[in-house]
Amino acid sequence: MKYMLIMRDTDEAIAASKEVPFEEILEKMGRYNEALMQAGVMVGGEGLAEPDEGFVVDFGADEPIIIDGPYGETKELFNGFWMLEVASKEEAAEWAKRCPLGPGSKLEVRRVHGTEDFPADNEWVQKEEGWREELAARTTDGSGA
């Protein structure tokens, strides 16, 4: 089963991380990612840039509106994520506990839906299976994502 580990920080955690040399953070995260890879559980993951490089699409009106924010409080923002393929919720929790984050940081761990969660005879579920195969082929042949 697949799980997403969603990284969140408080303002205090971000301030504390700025006191740590960036090379040290890279090394800790690199070692964690290496352990995930060696265990064969890492499916993907990315760190996210600062919120001021993004935008919000607000669906509150008849037509979606693109705005710069507000994003909410720092603790509500995602900073990055990992996608893991593990045998159980407990295994996902064990990997989450090993993540080298400091005080004030949190990981939200969520199971990711698979096609098995939806009716197999649904047209869109069947199309999605084909799309997943297409995306996997792009990844393995180096032609895309």
Side-chain angles (χ1 to χ4, degrees):
M1 54 187 65
K2 197 178 291 183
Y3 280 86
M4 177 180 256
L5 281 55
I6 304 166
M7 186 173 25
R8 298 174 190 247
D9 288 319
T10 60
D11 289 329
E12 294 78 20
I14 291 171
S17 72
K18 291 181 179 178
E19 300 296 320
V20 179
F22 189 63
E23 287 295 322
E24 185 176 321
I25 293 171
L26 282 178
E27 182 170 334
K28 286 180 178 178
M29 283 296 177
R31 289 184 187 278
Y32 180 66
N33 290 337
E34 185 175 59
L36 292 169
M37 289 298 296
Q38 289 176 345
V41 299
M42 187 165 173
V43 176
E46 301 288 347
L48 301 178
E50 298 298 320
D52 62 353
E53 295 184 43
F55 55 87
V56 172
V57 180
D58 185 344
F59 293 89
D62 290 339
E63 292 291 325
I65 299 169
I66 295 176
I67 56 177
D68 289 338
Y71 289 93
E73 296 181 41
T74 303
K75 66 183 180 183
E76 299 170 333
L77 300 177
F78 300 160
N79 296 333
F81 66 92
W82 290 266
M83 294 290 289
L84 306 183
E85 182 74 42
V86 293
S88 66
K89 180 178 182 179
E90 291 75 20
E91 185 180 358
E94 287 302 316
W95 280 108
K97 289 192 299 187
R98 292 177 58 182
C99 187
L101 298 175
S105 297
K106 294 183 179 180
L107 281 179
E108 179 180 341
V109 180
R110 303 273 304 269
R111 189 175 73 81
V112 176
H113 278 297
T115 54
E116 69 279 3
D117 293 324
F118 301 101
D121 61 348
N122 179 280
E123 172 189 356
W124 292 103
V125 172
Q126 292 170 353
K127 284 185 177 182
E128 185 169 320
E129 282 193 36
W131 295 333
R132 288 176 186 269
E133 291 171 10
E134 184 179 326
L135 289 171
R138 285 186 200 170
T139 301
T140 56
D141 72 8
S143 65

